[in-house]
Amino acid sequence: KLSRGKPPKEAVVGGTDVRKNQVMVRGYSATAKGAHGFNEPTIVHEILHNTTSHLLRDKGFKKERDALNKVRETVLSEIDAAAGRNISAKADLENFKRAISNPDTGIDELISYTFTNTTVQRVLKTIPVTDKTVVGLIKNAFDAVVLQVLRVLKIDPTQDSLDAVSAVFELTDR
């Protein structure tokens, strides 16, 4: 169920109620491309929360959840340096950092931003990940997030599947 409502006083664009399987999107404009708006990235961001949050809380995905939390911690420790290398992306990255800082919801935000925000995607590709359990298959934080999401979705995380996901993002960024 997707609903549209009046924008709240705070800068929240959307929300998810997993128990009701409901995504709520708030915005000022049907065509807005910025932080506010009833637009495709916001809708996909909230749908990702709805579809991944309950999966990651399943006991069968503890390994993936733990790996994503390690990536989240790495990104938090490296994001300021990455923002310094990408000055034009500073506002997006500050919002991203704030969103992933909460240990309870940070993994959900990490996934949603990774799959919907091109600025975050570009920056995550510059952050190296040294987790020995995934080295060899991944090169950076972007690959690490995608790898764990593929595992949760029960898709074999091969180099070909990681390359395919990257190619899709590159095509949609044009």
Side-chain angles (χ1 to χ4, degrees):
K1 183 177 180 182
L2 179 65
S3 61
R4 184 173 179 183
K6 291 182 180 179
K9 291 181 182 175
E10 67 276 2
V12 174
V13 178
T16 296
D17 185 336
V18 176
R19 292 174 308 229
K20 294 180 182 176
N21 197 26
Q22 182 177 27
V23 173
M24 296 147 292
V25 180
R26 302 169 183 96
Y28 302 120
S29 167
T31 59
K33 297 212 189 271
H36 297 285
F38 192 77
N39 55 58
E40 293 90 351
T42 300
I43 293 168
V44 173
H45 182 100
E46 297 306 330
I47 289 171
L48 280 167
H49 282 308
N50 196 280
T51 56
T52 61
S53 61
H54 70 282
L55 284 174
L56 287 168
R57 281 154 187 72
D58 185 290
K59 291 177 185 168
F61 294 114
K62 182 180 182 337
K63 185 172 126 182
E64 291 81 2
R65 188 174 52 252
D66 290 347
L68 282 163
N69 198 48
K70 283 183 185 177
V71 174
R72 183 186 71 82
E73 290 170 354
T74 298
V75 170
L76 280 170
S77 69
E78 299 289 330
I79 197 72
D80 290 330
R85 294 188 300 268
N86 298 276
I87 297 299
S88 62
K90 194 166 177 120
D92 262 357
L93 296 177
E94 285 174 4
N95 289 335
F96 173 61
K97 181 180 178 181
R98 190 171 31 258
I100 69 169
S101 291
N102 182 328
D104 295 327
T105 60
I107 293 172
D108 293 340
E109 292 294 347
L110 178 65
I111 292 170
S112 290
Y113 271 89
T114 298
F115 280 84
T116 60
N117 187 302
T118 56
T119 299
V120 169
Q121 291 164 8
R122 281 191 291 274
V123 169
L124 289 178
K125 289 179 181 182
T126 71
I127 298 175
V129 173
T130 57
D131 181 354
K132 289 181 174 65
T133 64
V134 291
V135 166
L137 191 57
I138 60 153
K139 302 172 211 67
N140 52 57
F142 175 82
D143 287 347
V145 173
V146 172
L147 175 100
Q148 297 308 326
V149 171
L150 290 174
R151 287 181 173 161
V152 168
L153 297 174
K154 304 214 183 281
I155 297 172
D156 189 23
T158 63
Q159 191 61 55
D160 286 342
S161 60
L162 285 172
D163 291 345
V165 171
S166 284
V168 167
F169 285 124
E170 288 169 19
L171 286 171
T172 58
D173 195 22
R174 293 183 187 171

